[in-house]
Each structure stands twice: as structure tokens, then as C-alpha cells.
Amino acid sequence: MVVLQILIWTLLVISAHGESIKGEENDSGEECKGMIKLISSAGHVKEYKEDQEHMHVKASKVVLKGCECYRLYERKENRGRSYFVNKIGEHNIPLKKVGSLAKVPCSR
């Protein structure tokens, strides 16, 4: 009987917190998406949610929000030196410019 109660309790907890199995979700029930903001030294902000193969942004900082990871490249078409952004929050970018960016798989 005790084993059955533990099993039922476990199933209730899993169903109540199913997003931890399925993936992080936002308030509307959709899977969490990421966004990246590039910030120039002058304070100009550009937001991106998708891959960009041709861009020219002189950014000094990047802010990551959401559940995805990005790799910033110094040259167009995902070439040249790169910087991996995998932690939510603000980061200083060690690149001279951002020529392209791509969503990449991450372990979080």
C-alpha cells in the first residue's frame, strides 16, 4: 500500500512539473525561446532571435535571454574567431565586430 501511495505521489509531482521533463516553458505554455541583444559601446541595442549570416555590428557587450545558446562570429557566414554565449545575462565580447551569429546546441 505504501509503495502505491509513493508511486501515485511521484506521478502527481511529475505531472505538475512536467515542464522540467519536456523543456522550460514560458507563461503561454510554449517552449522557451532565446534572444540575444548586441550592445555597442555607444549604447545602441540590436536584438536577434534567428541566425544572421551577413551583418556588421561593432558590439562591445551581448545579453542572452531565454533558453538557447548562440555563437558569435567575427566574419560573415559563421567564419573567423568566435565567442560562445551560453549563460544568461550580460557578457563582454572579445571580438572586434560581429559578422554573423548562429543558434547552437547547448547543455543547459
Side-chain angles (χ1 to χ4, degrees):
M1 185 68 180
V2 174
V3 174
L4 183 59
Q5 289 175 335
I6 292 172
L7 180 60
I8 291 171
W9 182 82
T10 304
L11 289 173
L12 288 173
V13 170
I14 290 173
S15 65
H17 297 290
E19 65 272 4
S20 63
I21 294 172
K22 188 170 86 173
E24 190 174 335
E25 295 183 353
N26 60 21
D27 293 337
S28 65
E30 298 174 1
E31 256 193 66
C32 185
K33 299 293 181 188
M35 178 188 62
I36 196 163
K37 290 183 183 182
L38 298 179
I39 305 169
S40 71
S41 57
H44 299 285
V45 178
K46 293 189 178 184
E47 295 182 0
Y48 301 94
K49 295 180 181 179
E50 301 295 329
D51 293 358
Q52 301 290 317
E53 288 194 355
H54 299 280
M55 54 193 294
H56 184 84
V57 178
K58 291 187 178 183
S60 59
K61 294 182 181 183
V62 63
V63 177
L64 178 65
K65 293 185 176 184
C67 307
E68 296 177 318
C69 297
Y70 289 83
R71 184 166 292 275
L72 308 177
Y73 295 90
E74 209 164 45
R75 297 177 62 198
K76 296 179 181 191
E77 298 178 357
N78 302 339
R79 298 179 314 168
R81 290 180 45 209
S82 67
Y83 179 68
F84 183 53
V85 185
N86 65 339
K87 294 183 181 171
I88 294 173
E90 187 174 290
H91 308 264
N92 291 322
I93 302 174
L95 306 174
K96 293 178 185 175
K97 67 174 182 132
V98 179
S100 55
L101 63 86
K103 287 183 192 178
V104 294
C106 56
S107 60
R108 48 178 188 99

